[in-house]
């Protein structure tokens, strides 16, 4: 198996066409087809379905594409790291951020990288946390912000901040609490939560077990912040989330938030795969994110977030 075969395969998958892929990688279409045939023979599997409309990945092809993408990215990272030994960090960094954290972090991070790391190409991907984990593990992405639920030992971790969860309801909901509620009261309300194992769901379920309380009264599993927001505004239930993802509607008065006691928090950590060395560009982004999240906490730009206490 050769790197050029992986590049050719990735180009075909991207364009859905042998002719367009051949143009991108600057080889004859016949040579492209020959290399793909060799690759399929070595793998013992067809990677594409061929039709009059072009080509589509088979199930084997979809699985192989994730590995090919990760390998090619690591090759580029290795090249960039060697070239940057004595110079300014440069190269591409693919950064995964959960839906519920992107509202706070995405734009400030893009602006900071552009200003402080002008030679770094930052690609942001917004995903569910449950989807970010396998992508990080395989090397499809270089870094990801995840929530520390005790299951991240396989990754290198840099703790960033803690976020408090609030009970959030429609301002017009007849059953919305007017003041702080107990965890027991919150769990008994009709709740709209991300599906397990995404987002805050494991944190809430763990807290219920630890306090000997019934499982949350979940009336809808919704892992999309935009859809969850719509259902809240429609008065279909309540949610337990940090305030930042819904800050606009809270500020406008369309939604209301009250504290929960005992407090529920989630810890955001920046993660990288232990078995894949970070490029100089990725390392620089890690350092930048640490300082950026501290700034966003201290200047109030990330409501509901707090710096992690330093242990004595």
């Amino acid at each position: 198996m050769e790197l050029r075969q992986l590049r050719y395969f990735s180009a075909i998958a991207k364009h859905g066409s042998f002719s367009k892929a051949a143009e991108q990688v600057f080889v004859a279409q016949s040579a492209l087809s020959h290399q793909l045939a060799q690759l399929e023979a070595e793998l013992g599997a067809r990677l594409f379905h061929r039709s009059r409309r072009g080509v589509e990945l088979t199930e084997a092809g979809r699985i192989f594409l994730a590995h090919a993408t990760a390998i090619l990215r690591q090759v580029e990272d290795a090249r960039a790291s060697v070239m940057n030994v004595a110079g300014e960090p440069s190269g591409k960094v693919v950064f995964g951020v959960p839906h519920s954290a992107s509202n706070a972090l995405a734009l400030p991070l893009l602006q900071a990288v552009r200003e402080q790391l002008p030679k770094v190409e930052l690609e942001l991907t917004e995903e569910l946390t449950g989807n970010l984990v396998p992508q990080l593990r395989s090397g499809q992405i270089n870094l990801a912000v995840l929530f520390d639920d005790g299951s991240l030992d396989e990754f290198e971790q840099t703790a960033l901040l803690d976020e408090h969860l609030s009970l959030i309801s429609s301002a017009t909901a007849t059953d919305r609490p007017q003041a702080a509620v107990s965890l027991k009261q919150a769990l008994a309300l009709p709740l709209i939560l991300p599906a397990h194992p995404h987002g805050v769901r494991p944190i809430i379920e763990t807290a219920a077990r630890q306090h000997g309380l019934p499982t949350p009264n979940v009336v809808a599993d919704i892992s999309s912040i935009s859809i969850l927001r719509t259902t809240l505004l429609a008065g279909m239930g309540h949610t337990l989330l940090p305030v930042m993802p819904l800050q606009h509607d809270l500020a406008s008065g369309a939604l209301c938030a009250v504290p929960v006691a005992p407090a529920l928090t989630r810890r955001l950590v920046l993660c990288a795969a232990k078995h894949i060395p970070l490029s100089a560009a990725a390392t620089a982004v890690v350092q930048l994110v640490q300082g950026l999240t501290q700034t966003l906490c201290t200047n109030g730009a990330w409501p509901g977030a707090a710096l992690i206490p330093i242990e004595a």
Side-chain angles (χ1 to χ4, degrees), residues 4 131 141 161 181 223 268 299:
R4 63 173 175 170
N131 296 338
I141 59 179
L161 53 82
V181 296
S223 299
L268 276 66
N299 68 11

Side-chain angles (χ1 to χ4, degrees), residues 87-90 107-122 280-281 283-293 295-296:
E88 188 176 358
S90 64
L107 180 58
L109 178 57
L110 284 168
Q111 292 171 330
V113 169
R114 176 175 292 184
E115 179 182 342
Q116 300 178 40
L117 302 170
K119 294 185 179 180
V120 171
E121 178 188 353
L122 183 69
T283 300
V285 170
V286 170
Q287 295 170 350
L288 186 151
V289 170
Q290 286 181 276
L292 176 62
T293 51
T295 299
L296 293 173

Side-chain angles (χ1 to χ4, degrees), residues 1-9 35 38-39 42:
M1 190 178 300
E2 302 177 15
L3 286 176
R4 63 173 175 170
Q5 292 175 329
L6 300 185
R7 293 191 180 98
Y8 296 170
F9 163 73
Q35 291 297 326
Q38 287 189 324
L39 182 60
E42 182 175 348

Side-chain angles (χ1 to χ4, degrees), residues 51-272:
S51 68
R52 293 179 180 178
R53 295 176 298 176
V55 293
E56 295 180 353
L57 288 166
T58 63
E59 181 60 28
R62 283 190 288 271
I63 293 171
F64 187 67
L65 179 60
H67 292 282
T69 300
I71 292 167
L72 292 173
R73 183 160 290 137
Q74 290 172 46
V75 170
E76 290 304 312
D77 287 348
R79 180 181 292 113
S81 292
V82 171
M83 295 175 65
N84 294 336
V85 167
E88 188 176 358
S90 64
K92 187 173 185 177
V93 177
V94 184
F95 191 102
V97 59
H99 295 297
S100 60
S102 64
N103 191 34
L105 185 59
L107 180 58
L109 178 57
L110 284 168
Q111 292 171 330
V113 169
R114 176 175 292 184
E115 179 182 342
Q116 300 178 40
L117 302 170
K119 294 185 179 180
V120 171
E121 178 188 353
L122 183 69
E123 177 184 330
L124 284 183
T125 178
E126 185 184 41
E127 291 272 5
L128 297 171
T129 50
N131 296 338
L132 289 172
V133 168
Q135 292 180 32
L136 189 62
R137 184 185 295 129
S138 69
Q140 290 177 264
I141 59 179
N142 303 108
L143 300 166
V145 173
L146 299 174
F147 308 129
D148 186 4
D149 59 0
S151 64
L152 301 177
D153 290 344
E154 65 179 294
F155 301 118
E156 297 287 353
Q157 302 174 43
T158 302
L160 298 176
L161 53 82
D162 288 334
E163 279 190 300
H164 294 285
L165 275 60
S166 298
L167 180 71
I168 302 176
S169 314
S170 168
T172 60
T174 57
D175 61 344
R176 75 172 180 89
Q178 303 295 317
V181 296
S182 68
L183 178 58
K184 181 178 180 179
Q185 291 171 316
L187 295 178
L189 289 168
L191 293 175
I192 304 166
L193 296 177
H196 191 85
H198 301 298
V200 298
R201 187 68 171 268
I203 297 170
I204 295 168
E205 292 179 346
T206 299
R209 288 194 300 269
Q210 289 176 342
H211 291 89
L213 298 173
T215 56
N217 177 26
V218 179
V219 295
D221 293 315
I222 298 179
S223 299
S224 162
I225 288 293
S226 61
I227 300 175
L228 189 150
R229 169 184 174 272
T230 301
T231 57
L232 288 176
L233 292 171
M236 294 180 64
H238 314 260
T239 195
L240 287 164
L241 275 180
V243 297
M244 188 60 189
L246 299 166
Q247 184 61 27
H248 176 76
D249 294 294
L250 290 166
S252 72
L255 296 177
C256 299
V258 297
V260 178
L264 292 175
T265 61
R266 70 176 183 185
R267 177 158 294 181
L268 276 66
V269 292
L270 184 58
C271 294

